Amino acid sequence: MTFSFQEAWARSESVEGWLTREQGEALFEAAGTVPPGYAAVEIGSHHGKSAILIAGNLPEGVSLTAVDPFDDPRWGGGTDSLDAFRRNIAAAGLGERIELFRGLSEDASRSWTGPLVSFLWVDGAHDLGSTLKDFDGWMPHMAPGGLIYVHDAFSAVGTTRAILQRFWGSRSIEYLGCERTLAQFRVRRLSPLGQLSSGLRMLPRLLFFTRMIAIKVSRRRGWHSLERRFMRVDNEPLI
Ligand SMILES: C[S@@+](CC[C@H](N)C(=O)[O-])C[C@H]1O[C@@H](n2cnc3c(N)ncnc32)[C@H](O)[C@@H]1O
């Protein structure tokens, strides 16, 4: 069973999460590109919002592996979170399309025996060490031409540093673009010109990153009028 984007969004809208509608649509569209015989993997599932959007558009025969230890206090964690995930997935009618790996991304990637991954959605812990483990652990399992989407890119410091360390100037990862803090990459061998072009296209995101940091610092210091001056839309820098 696949949904239209409107149906998938309607089923995910009331689920707690930090995706804009446009980001939800980007995930939905990416899921639709996974060829039969390949896998989709989500790092960080929380209550299932993004899982519903992805699983709702996977072609017949492709399932989503959702990886989350459900024990991180920053997102509530614990059995309440796991129960909410199961409840929301079942309510969306997608229980059959999603396999849960309850554990850390690094353990899931180490023990992965599934098919090559054609869509990897990275939305777990946003510190540098965890994000590097996400990238390094899953890269060997990626299919040529596969998509890697990363949330809180050019917003969270750790995620941004990991992107710059592994993907900026890379010969095998092409930067495709961003939907706000959702950055999109493709696994592809690049010529030196392609490498340069991919790196240059990422540069304007550093200005966006500077603005997100300015918001965070102003908020932490209680400089609210300055914070508002840096903000362009509600809910920055979370979206
Ligand atoms: C921002 S939430 C995910 C939101 C979800 N993708 C959505 O859009 O609905 C982050 C999740 O990552 C999980 N997490 C934290 N560290 C992780 C890791 N190393 N591997 C997998 N999941 C992790 C947390 O338990 C939390 O549920």
Side-chain angles (χ1 to χ4, degrees), residues 15-19 27 42-51 67-72 74-75 77 81 103-106 121 123-126 130 134 151-152:
V15 177
E16 180 179 79
W18 300 269
L19 295 171
L27 293 178
E42 164 176 276
I43 304 171
S45 299
H46 190 54
H47 290 183
K49 191 181 193 78
S50 52
V67 181
D68 198 311
F70 292 103
D71 66 355
D72 193 324
R74 283 172 297 180
W75 287 275
S81 202
L104 295 172
S105 156
E106 62 193 278
W121 164 229
D123 194 17
H126 298 322
S130 302
D134 294 341
H151 205 219
D152 297 287

Side-chain angles (χ1 to χ4, degrees), residues 5-16:
F5 172 66
Q6 282 70 20
E7 284 168 328
W9 183 251
R11 283 164 202 247
S12 72
E13 209 170 0
S14 62
V15 177
E16 180 179 79

